[in-house]
Amino acid sequence: MLETDLIGRLRLSSIPYQSGIVMGATAFMILVIVIVLGSITWYRKWGYLYREWLTTLDHKKIGIMYVIVALVMLLRGFADAVMMRSQQALAFGSARGYLPPQHYDQIFSSHGTIMILFMAMPFLTGLMNVAVPLQIGARDVAFPFMNALSLWLTAISAMLIMISLPIGDFSRAGWSGYPPLSELRYSPTVGVDYWIWALELTGIGSLMTGINFLTTILRMRAPGMTLMRMPMFVWTTACTNILMILAFPVLTIALALLALDRYLGTHFFTAGMGGNLMLYVNLFWMWGHPEVYIVILPAFGVYSEIVPTFAGKPLFGYTSMVYATCAITLISFTVWLHHFFTMGAGPDVNAIFGLATMIIGIPTGVKIFNWLFTMFRGRIVFPTPMLWTLGFIITFTIGGASGVMLALPPANYVLHNSLFVIAHFHNVLIPGTLFGMFAGYTYWFPKALGFRLDERWGVRAFWAWLLGFYFAFMPLYVLGFMGMPRRMEHYTNPAWRPWLEIAAFGVLLILAGIGCQVTQLLVSIRDRAKNIDASGDPWDGRTLEWTVSSPAPVYNFARIPHVHTRDAFSHQKEKGLVHHRPDGFHDIKIPRNTPLAFAVGMLAFGFGFGMVWHIWWLAAITFLLTLVCLIVRGSSDDVEDIVSGAEVERIEKARYRELSAIGADDQSRYAHHQPAHV
Amino acid sequence: MSMSASELQHYLFAPHPEEEEATANASFGFWIYLMSDCILFASLFATFVTLSRSYAGGPTSQEIIHLGHTLEETLVLLCSSVTCGFAMLAMYRRQLRRVLGWLAVTFVLGLTFISLELQEFLSLVAAGHGPTHSGFLSAFFTLVATHGTHVTVGLLWMLVMMAQIAVKGLSEPVQSRLIRFSMFWHFLDIVWVGVFTVVYLNGVL
Amino acid sequence: MTQPRFARLARILPVCGLALLSGCSSFPLFDTRGPIGEREITIIVIAFCVMMIVVLPVFVMTFLFAWRYRASNLKAIYAPHWGRSFKIDLMMWLVPAVIVAALGGLEWQATHTLNPYRPLTSTADPVEIDAVALNWKWLFIYPAEHVATVNQLVFPARVPVSFRLTSATVMTSFFIPNLGSQIYAMPGMRTKLNLLANRPGIYTGRNYQYSGNGFSWMQFEVRVASRRQFRVWLAAVRRSPHTLDAAALRQLERPSINAPVAYYSSIPPHLFAYFIALFHGRPTLPSTLVRNGER
């Protein structure tokens, strides 16, 4: 069959007409897109969308868009989960469920890929964007254009994954893509190529985020904010960025070499001709292990913000926390082999990596105790973020314990590739990362959008998620001991069946939880006038982001604050200096909007699509145009706008009137922060 | 608080207007990018070392490496680093023509390096020793070509910079970009030292 | 093989628990039938018990602190400026460190004694079996007896079994949960595994590393027999009308699921090496087969 130059290997038959599920999902996707685009047209918001969102370089808006990507992909990844659980509950004995292996394996591959790279990563990057510059007293990140580039690269990579549904198929080699299964011989379709390019493009975005935020944190903190005075979320962000910078290049290479094998016929990971399968496994996990710390550290940072705020006490053992975070960062590069103890490395090698893996549990444990002792002798209130945190502490500890068990190579020899492993990592990722993201989402939502999320639906969502999690994943530990492997699309052992049915029930509870969260968002938007955050400080916060309005003005701070302690806002509350008026305002430079970042994103989508389908002219043209866009941007000197001092004054004076009206600048309101009052 | 009003202002707010740190921040961020590029190359080096004996019945490293050729490439690239350095010195002395001149020389040397490398690749492919013939060859071509690709990007960057200098002169943003370019170019030199040691010298000795 | 005294003492505890569970044969990891698996589950149980030293206090403290220090409980002490304590810091670094050191010692020792490549000491000579993963079935070669089977693994009890493993396709993982230790079987490479079964029984083994569409079917029957029964079985295999000639090999190499148990009474010499050589050049299969040591 000849490959036409125009559309590469794309054919009408690339659309999976035969699969009712895929066609149904496609129809749903198209419906959603039509509704969204239609609504924008109906309400005449294209201009607004372009001006305020598609061309913005403002970290606050970029953060919101990241979280939107994460939430959308959470729904897609969760749909995959529902399908997997229901299939496994049904496909016993001669019953084969409704998913043939060729479909089921795409689902587990996309589930893992989406949840880690297109849900967790955008979610934490979004929270970093929303919170970090405000927490350090900066006006924006160090490289606003690069920030926007990162966002759009991530968004279009998610689009590449989504478009693999109606056009082509997705990888069947798992989210880890081990060769030779992921090589051309055993994965001849476009699925693995979609996976490779989506990950490569989003990986570039993550690398840029790492560089951007590390530079921001190390160079743009407000005067007086030494490293040991930074909020803990900023510390964890900095360490996460270091992990991103050092780990993502390894993934870039691992996937690039796999792509070279698939596209040019090289022999990096083929099973013959001098290829080395184990090399891929090592490269992948050399990225893969730091990656899981990339997704957990920001969540730990969120908890470190939430517990002190809602316990009314500073974080216990701040110095210990910093050292623990840095220790986790360093050690995370020394444990990667524990993902393949059974690949046949000698006992010395296995034992060393097992030891390192256990050692990394120590700083993690330290963090848990620090949060508990922050609660000790506090005055704790329990809004939703605190509920998520408590759910995390209990549940994550179980997952950590199962991790220590897996860290022992002999234990690993019988548990590897079983559902015990699945239970373990969901047991740390869901209460760890996901609950942390939900907590951070609730916590910083008012700051980003100006109104609070509905509390009642938040509580309902929490309980549904928590109970759902236990029902869905505790049976998997049991199944691990019963010898059930992961990634099975049907089974014949009757003893496994009741546990899989319980797990399916758990997933239904989680579905209810997600339903509550969707409802929460809709209800909150509907009731936003009632839930408005007029003071900018809805939680009686301790850090600088709560000193500005909600949402913050485009320039963040009219005057950059001078910092003297940790918990700078608490310090102001203690000293009776809250919302003190500055004696003058000045012109402030802000990055000017530009369509170039969005354009590069769209071009990158075209490039990825072209590479997947071998549409070489498309790949070449989009690549060249991308270069042109970057050169244009790199030759532009006039990239900033000025908010005049008068305009700043007008905005700030309006805010002060608002604050006075609600009494938020009345220092006696913060009396409970002052030492004499204890 | 027993502070005067102006003391209080100083206590609470940073002096205004704030200092411009764009160039320093850009250089700092670029350093961090270079560190990530280091890891990128490190992964390729690790790949190469792992596959360095995976000949699969094909040619060994001794058979495909000609140290004389490597020496030529090395001299050309190292010289280009020196000329790049001269360009930067001229920039600090605000000697616009000299900057353009030395950048042009650097460009020619860089282009020579790339053509020498392409020559080597083409002759290997013609002899049937292309990257698809063994794990060793795949790793060899990819490591060396990744470095070459970086150099090519550097050449493109140089052209853009020369155009910018000609049009805008040595403004602050242009200087900031030149500083980052020179960091990039010297970095590539260092990587090349690694390449000719690990790949070429090690492959023959 | 010696174990640290701690581990031996600690076995008493889990054995009591296991006595309850081992009756429950749906838990092959607990219902261990060989010394390797026994030691491995013991380690798991020890690790679990040790982790409780950390886990239980965390549970207790979480509930206790959340309840006691809730804002409405004005009787509880409120220390809003207390955030540091050297003693608590020390404890929270030290206690886990001690636990990790203890587990580390156990782990170092156990990883070496339970090294899959380590031959098991026994008075009996080991049975050598080569396992080759195909799509999606297992070929078991008995090189000394010059026979092979598909999807049925038989060996005598109380005799160490020494496996060599490879794959003819993609990465797979060979595991018999009742006996312990899995190991990857990879194309072009040879891995090793040493197991022993305490007494006769019938178990299931399977591939645990996802290997494509037929992965869910890739299981095999394991029959641990007495020595006499094993010899009887071998004789039955040798009487099989099927031989593993080139045509049969090609048939095997074709992807299939639900492959029925098959016996091959004669096989080419160096068959295991052939499968590895598939990935290192162009291997040739000898045209003659070997049967009972004769050609």
Side-chain angles (χ1 to χ4, degrees):
Chain A
M1 177 180 293
L2 284 174
E3 223 174 65
T4 73
D5 286 331
L6 203 57
I7 54 170
R9 51 184 177 167
L10 184 58
R11 300 280 174 276
L12 264 181
S13 57
S14 310
I15 301 177
Y17 295 113
Q18 330 85 309
S19 170
I21 296 173
V22 174
M23 288 292 103
T26 305
F28 181 73
M29 258 190 350
I30 294 178
L31 182 67
V32 169
I33 293 173
V34 163
I35 291 179
V36 169
L37 297 182
S39 308
I40 300 173
T41 313
W42 179 265
Y43 291 108
R44 311 243 176 108
K45 289 287 192 183
W46 283 107
Y48 163 79
L49 190 70
Y50 180 81
R51 273 190 319 273
E52 300 293 328
W53 295 92
L54 299 184
T55 58
T56 186
L57 301 187
D58 183 350
H59 70 94
K60 302 182 282 293
K61 292 206 175 125
I62 288 175
I64 294 173
M65 287 190 276
Y66 262 117
V67 174
I68 293 174
V69 170
L71 292 175
V72 169
M73 295 310 274
L74 174 67
L75 295 177
R76 164 70 205 270
F78 182 69
D80 288 334
V82 170
M83 291 175 80
M84 285 193 286
R85 279 282 136 258
S86 54
Q87 165 70 13
Q88 286 199 329
L90 294 170
F92 162 69
S94 52
R96 299 289 300 279
Y98 62 100
L99 292 172
Q102 301 87 319
H103 192 167
Y104 185 82
D105 41 23
Q106 289 180 57
I107 291 179
F108 70 67
S109 305
S110 67
H111 172 76
T113 306
I114 287 173
M115 287 306 201
I116 301 253
L117 286 145
F118 296 100
M119 191 280 292
M121 295 293 287
F123 217 148
L124 63 94
T125 309
L127 291 181
M128 292 197 306
N129 266 285
V130 164
V132 167
L134 290 173
Q135 285 195 324
I136 62 172
R139 295 200 182 289
D140 205 319
V141 294
F143 310 114
F145 180 75
M146 207 160 75
N147 203 13
L149 260 186
S150 296
L151 165 72
W152 293 115
L153 282 176
T154 303
I156 60 98
S157 303
M159 267 167 57
L160 264 181
I161 303 263
M162 294 303 268
I163 208 149
S164 74
L165 203 56
I167 307 182
D169 62 355
F170 195 66
S171 168
R172 299 190 182 130
W175 87 283
S176 45
Y178 280 12
L181 190 58
S182 53
E183 294 268 4
L184 216 49
R185 178 163 178 207
Y186 294 100
S187 288
T189 66
V190 295
V192 174
D193 299 315
Y194 267 121
W195 175 77
I196 288 177
W197 293 110
L199 264 62
E200 290 285 58
L201 291 170
T202 195
I204 295 175
S206 293
L207 176 62
M208 294 198 295
T209 296
I211 296 174
N212 210 342
F213 275 82
L214 190 63
T215 307
T216 307
I217 291 170
L218 291 180
R219 292 196 57 91
M220 292 172 66
R221 281 164 286 135
M225 187 179 276
T226 60
L227 288 175
M228 295 306 271
R229 288 179 186 164
M230 300 196 304
M232 205 55 218
F233 183 70
V234 180
W235 263 112
T236 57
T237 299
C239 290
T240 302
N241 295 143
I242 292 173
L243 289 173
M244 284 175 176
I245 292 162
L246 297 177
F248 269 91
V250 185
L251 179 73
T252 305
I253 290 297
L255 296 184
L257 301 184
L258 183 63
L260 283 173
D261 274 2
R262 288 176 65 87
Y263 281 80
L264 291 182
T266 49
H267 292 290
F268 289 103
F269 310 124
T270 52
M273 294 293 286
N276 191 329
L277 313 180
M278 299 192 289
L279 176 62
Y280 176 89
V281 176
N282 274 277
L283 286 173
F284 180 85
W285 286 112
M286 222 178 282
W287 163 80
H289 196 83
E291 167 65 10
V292 309
Y293 286 99
I294 289 173
V295 300
I296 199 89
L297 283 182
F300 285 171
V302 168
Y303 298 126
S304 297
E305 297 296 319
I306 284 172
V307 180
T309 302
F310 296 114
K313 280 176 66 215
L315 183 66
F316 179 87
Y318 178 93
T319 311
S320 248
M321 286 294 248
V322 170
Y323 279 109
T325 309
C326 294
I328 291 175
T329 307
L330 280 171
I331 303 174
S332 73
F333 282 102
T334 63
V335 301
W336 79 90
L337 195 128
H338 71 230
H339 296 275
F340 47 95
F341 277 135
T342 58
M343 202 160 75
D348 287 331
V349 171
N350 276 355
I352 290 175
F353 276 94
L355 199 57
T357 308
M358 286 195 289
I359 289 175
I360 209 172
I362 301 175
T364 314
V366 164
K367 283 179 163 269
I368 302 239
F369 287 114
N370 274 314
W371 291 312
L372 287 171
F373 282 104
T374 309
M375 286 163 60
F376 182 75
R377 294 195 177 161
R379 279 265 160 84
I380 314 172
V381 288
F382 299 96
T384 323
M386 195 62 191
L387 290 177
W388 289 116
T389 307
L390 291 173
F392 150 73
I393 295 179
I394 300 277
T395 319
F396 178 85
T397 307
I398 303 174
S402 66
V404 173
M405 285 155 72
L406 285 169
L408 306 169
N412 200 287
Y413 295 157
V414 296
L415 292 171
H416 179 63
N417 271 339
S418 73
L419 286 183
F420 187 94
V421 178
I422 307 292
H424 158 70
F425 66 69
H426 283 89
N427 202 349
V428 288
L429 284 172
I430 293 183
T433 301
L434 193 55
F435 285 13
M437 296 297 104
F438 289 156
Y441 162 74
T442 313
Y443 186 63
W444 280 308
F445 189 95
K447 181 55 55 186
L449 284 124
F451 58 96
R452 262 183 288 207
L453 282 169
D454 184 88
E455 181 66 15
R456 262 174 335 156
W457 283 102
V459 173
R460 288 169 192 159
F462 165 72
W463 285 110
W465 263 100
L466 190 69
L467 288 170
F469 171 80
Y470 278 98
F471 277 105
F473 290 99
M474 293 300 131
L476 301 192
Y477 280 122
V478 177
L479 284 165
F481 285 112
M482 295 175 99
M484 181 169 181
R486 62 191 290 193
R487 298 172 170 168
M488 283 189 96
E489 122 291 338
H490 85 280
Y491 60 98
T492 49
N493 187 336
W496 295 347
R497 189 174 192 192
W499 302 101
L500 290 168
E501 288 169 339
I502 298 174
F505 171 69
V507 133
L508 285 179
L509 282 178
I510 297 179
L511 177 63
I514 290 188
C516 291
Q517 287 170 311
V518 171
T519 310
Q520 180 192 42
L521 189 58
L522 295 173
V523 164
S524 308
I525 293 175
R526 182 197 69 193
D527 294 343
R528 62 190 181 278
K530 231 187 333 145
N531 290 327
I532 206 163
D533 174 22
S535 66
D537 182 20
W539 313 111
D540 193 16
R542 309 175 69 85
T543 41
L544 285 175
E545 74 267 35
W546 309 111
T547 64
V548 296
S549 60
S550 290
V554 67
Y555 46 76
N556 293 354
F557 299 91
R559 294 283 298 277
I560 302 290
H562 196 164
V563 168
H564 301 277
T565 59
R566 241 168 256 168
D567 289 345
F569 195 29
S570 288
H571 177 71
Q572 287 180 7
K573 290 177 177 176
E574 264 176 58
K575 300 287 183 217
L577 294 170
V578 176
H579 300 313
H580 193 92
R581 315 300 195 241
D583 59 1
F585 301 99
H586 55 276
D587 292 352
I588 298 177
K589 289 203 196 136
I590 58 169
R592 180 178 303 152
N593 283 11
T594 170
L596 284 175
F598 180 72
V600 169
M602 292 296 113
L603 290 169
F605 179 82
F607 176 78
F609 192 83
M611 290 303 284
V612 167
W613 289 103
H614 295 189
I615 309 174
W616 307 124
W617 63 264
L618 179 62
I621 289 187
T622 48
F623 183 77
L624 286 170
L625 285 176
T626 303
L627 273 182
V628 167
C629 286
L630 293 175
I631 291 175
V632 165
R633 177 71 190 185
S635 308
S636 313
D637 292 341
D638 180 24
V639 291
E640 287 178 316
D641 281 336
I642 298 188
V643 183
S644 69
E647 176 68 12
V648 175
E649 183 163 358
R650 191 188 60 78
I651 296 172
E652 295 299 306
K653 289 237 162 93
R655 175 154 200 244
Y656 294 134
R657 278 196 297 277
E658 173 86 53
L659 289 172
S660 295
I662 58 174
D665 55 356
D666 175 9
Q667 305 302 320
S668 64
R669 193 168 160 150
Y670 307 104
H672 56 280
H673 284 266
Q674 281 145 28
H677 282 254
V678 172
Chain B
M1 295 291 303
S2 55
M3 277 196 267
S4 72
S6 65
E7 278 173 339
L8 203 51
Q9 287 291 316
H10 188 77
Y11 184 80
L12 288 171
F13 303 113
H16 70 119
E18 296 111 37
E19 283 178 39
E20 289 279 328
E21 295 260 21
T23 303
N25 285 355
S27 296
F28 184 85
F30 198 75
W31 261 121
I32 299 180
Y33 155 70
L34 287 179
M35 294 303 99
S36 80
D37 226 17
C38 241
I39 303 286
L40 193 99
F41 278 107
S43 310
L44 284 170
F45 276 109
T47 300
F48 177 79
V49 170
T50 307
L51 297 178
S52 59
R53 300 274 178 268
S54 301
Y55 301 130
T60 65
S61 52
Q62 280 92 340
E63 289 163 37
I64 61 167
I65 289 172
H66 306 290
L67 279 184
H69 189 92
T70 315
L71 182 64
E72 278 174 43
E73 288 176 319
T74 307
L75 287 174
V76 164
L77 197 65
L78 286 170
C79 276
S80 77
S81 245
V82 174
T83 57
C84 177
F86 288 151
M88 293 307 292
L89 286 174
M91 182 195 89
Y92 288 120
R93 294 193 197 116
R94 317 231 54 178
Q95 294 164 320
L96 193 141
R97 286 231 193 82
R98 290 240 173 119
V99 176
L100 283 174
W102 284 117
L103 279 181
V105 176
T106 310
F107 182 85
V108 168
L109 288 170
L111 197 60
T112 311
F113 174 86
I114 292 295
S115 57
L116 284 171
E117 196 159 273
L118 279 174
Q119 246 178 52
E120 179 186 16
F121 285 176
L122 287 171
S123 71
L124 279 173
V125 171
H129 303 319
T132 60
H133 286 92
S134 71
F136 160 69
L137 285 168
S138 299
F140 170 82
F141 271 88
T142 305
L143 173 55
V144 178
T146 301
H147 174 267
T149 308
H150 278 76
V151 172
T152 308
V153 170
L155 292 178
L156 179 63
W157 194 349
M158 244 190 287
L159 288 176
V160 173
M161 288 321 298
M162 289 197 277
Q164 282 192 20
I165 295 168
V167 169
K168 302 183 207 230
L170 289 172
S171 65
E172 170 74 27
V174 170
Q175 287 194 44
S176 170
R177 290 173 200 137
L178 272 174
I179 291 172
R180 279 174 269 154
F181 166 75
S182 76
M183 284 161 67
F184 187 67
W185 199 253
H186 293 302
F187 169 75
L188 289 179
D189 223 22
I190 298 174
V191 174
W192 178 254
V193 171
V195 171
F196 85 63
T197 310
V198 172
V199 177
Y200 290 96
L201 286 180
N202 210 33
V204 168
L205 302 173
Chain C
M1 274 170 271
T2 57
Q3 286 173 301
R5 231 180 291 144
F6 168 57
R8 258 181 289 167
L9 287 171
R11 279 183 82 181
I12 300 174
L13 200 79
V15 161
C16 305
L18 286 179
L20 289 165
L21 286 166
S22 62
C24 194
S25 61
S26 23
F27 286 86
L29 263 68
F30 289 124
D31 185 23
T32 52
R33 301 300 179 91
I36 302 282
E38 272 165 21
R39 262 177 235 117
E40 282 163 348
I41 195 67
T42 307
I43 288 172
I44 292 176
V45 175
I46 291 174
F48 176 82
C49 296
V50 166
M51 285 313 293
M52 290 302 110
I53 300 174
V54 173
V55 170
L56 293 175
V58 168
F59 285 1
V60 168
M61 281 197 274
T62 310
F63 284 114
L64 194 64
F65 294 175
W67 175 251
R68 189 185 170 77
Y69 298 106
R70 67 194 188 286
S72 51
N73 181 15
L74 296 167
K75 286 184 294 185
I77 303 174
Y78 177 37
H81 294 281
W82 176 76
R84 214 189 313 174
S85 159
F86 178 69
K87 267 189 231 145
I88 296 181
D89 247 346
L90 192 64
M91 287 298 283
M92 70 168 97
W93 280 99
L94 214 54
V95 171
V98 166
I99 292 177
V100 166
L103 279 179
L106 168 70
E107 175 249 358
W108 187 270
Q109 228 254 8
T111 304
H112 282 80
T113 47
L114 291 168
N115 174 15
Y117 280 56
R118 190 172 191 230
L120 303 177
T121 53
S122 167
T123 48
D125 283 331
V127 171
E128 285 175 1
I129 304 179
D130 298 332
V132 180
L134 299 154
N135 276 358
W136 286 278
K137 47 208 175 277
W138 290 89
L139 175 68
F140 297 109
I141 301 169
Y142 292 74
E145 289 83 3
H146 310 291
V147 297
T149 67
V150 168
N151 279 348
Q152 188 182 69
L153 180 64
V154 181
F155 54 84
R158 288 177 292 279
V159 173
V161 185
S162 177
F163 290 96
R164 292 186 304 177
L165 303 107
T166 191
S167 167
T169 56
V170 299
M171 239 189 240
T172 57
S173 187
F174 176 92
F175 187 29
I176 307 169
N178 285 93
L179 297 180
S181 275
Q182 72 184 274
I183 192 102
Y184 279 7
M186 300 177 279
M189 291 184 259
R190 189 246 318 123
T191 47
K192 287 188 183 169
L193 182 61
N194 287 276
L195 294 174
L196 188 147
N198 286 334
R199 58 189 190 285
I202 300 186
Y203 315 115
T204 308
R206 65 179 329 123
N207 169 26
Y208 272 67
Q209 172 72 26
Y210 181 76
S211 61
N213 289 346
F215 167 70
S216 304
W217 282 270
M218 203 164 161
Q219 66 182 52
F220 57 92
E221 184 187 50
V222 181
R223 283 200 190 164
V224 180
S226 67
R227 283 190 221 212
R228 193 189 61 82
Q229 287 168 328
F230 179 60
R231 281 195 297 274
V232 165
W233 175 82
L234 267 180
V237 173
R238 286 194 190 110
R239 281 195 305 273
S240 163
H242 305 291
T243 60
L244 197 49
D245 54 15
L249 254 180
R250 269 197 305 278
Q251 179 65 22
L252 265 188
E253 282 166 1
R254 271 189 221 116
S256 66
I257 55 169
N258 265 333
V261 171
Y263 296 160
Y264 297 102
S265 52
S266 58
I267 59 172
H270 314 298
L271 183 57
F272 184 75
Y274 160 76
F275 280 110
I276 295 190
L278 274 177
F279 299 98
H280 297 284
R282 263 173 255 287
T284 48
L285 206 54
S287 50
T288 53
L289 304 173
V290 181
R291 186 197 182 98
N292 286 349
E294 315 140 7
R295 303 233 163 198

